[in-house]
């Protein structure tokens, strides 16, 4: 049996609404275990950088560990910036979990 799938064309406005609904479901509570773990990992990277970056003056040898840490730190900070738009924001005691409103808070 051949299945006949019909494709419904969505307007740009409908596509935008679907995307916003999808992104709204991805927003994390700022006090969730996932977000707190991500933040603690960032703190570990900051502490590492506090010690490692000044050591660069002495031109230490490159090792696999330092290469991995360098890339890990770079990727973390690259991902952290856009992820901020997917974390709820508390303003005046109200938790905002809508992507559009969170973006507006950051872009103001």
């Amino acid at each position: 049996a051949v299945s006949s799938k019909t494709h419904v064309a969505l307007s740009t406005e409908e596509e935008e609404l679907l995307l916003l609904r999808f992104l709204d479901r991805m927003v994390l509570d700022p006090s969730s275990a996932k977000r707190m773990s991500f933040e603690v990992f960032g703190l570990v990277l900051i502490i590492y950088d506090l010690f490692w970056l000044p050591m660069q003056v002495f031109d230490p040898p490159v090792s696999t560990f330092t290469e991995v840490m360098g890339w890990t730190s770079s990727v973390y900070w690259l991902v952290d910036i856009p992820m901020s738009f997917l974390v709820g924001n508390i303003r005046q005691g109200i938790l905002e979990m809508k992507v559009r409103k969170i973006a507006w808070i950051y872009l103001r």
Side-chain angles (χ1 to χ4, degrees), residues 2 71 104:
V2 176
W71 278 102
W104 181 249

Side-chain angles (χ1 to χ4, degrees), residues 10-27 85-86 97-100:
L10 298 176
S11 70
T12 305
E13 187 176 300
E14 290 170 324
E15 287 178 355
E16 183 180 322
L17 186 60
L18 285 173
L19 177 63
L20 285 173
R21 282 188 194 156
F22 172 75
L23 291 174
D24 283 344
R25 284 183 290 202
M26 303 268 304
V27 173
F85 289 92
L86 294 176
M97 298 289 283
K98 300 269 187 214
V99 169
R100 187 175 267 172

Side-chain angles (χ1 to χ4, degrees), residues 23-24 26-31 84-106 108:
L23 291 174
D24 283 344
M26 303 268 304
V27 173
L28 293 174
D29 185 309
S31 61
S84 296
F85 289 92
L86 294 176
V87 176
N89 197 298
I90 300 173
R91 294 284 180 185
Q92 300 173 344
I94 298 171
L95 177 61
E96 183 55 62
M97 298 289 283
K98 300 269 187 214
V99 169
R100 187 175 267 172
K101 291 183 179 179
I102 294 168
W104 181 249
I105 290 168
Y106 283 116
R108 281 198 289 173

Side-chain angles (χ1 to χ4, degrees), residues 71-83:
W71 278 102
T72 301
S73 182
S74 296
V75 169
Y76 176 87
W77 296 116
L78 181 70
V79 169
D80 183 56
I81 295 168
M83 260 191 71

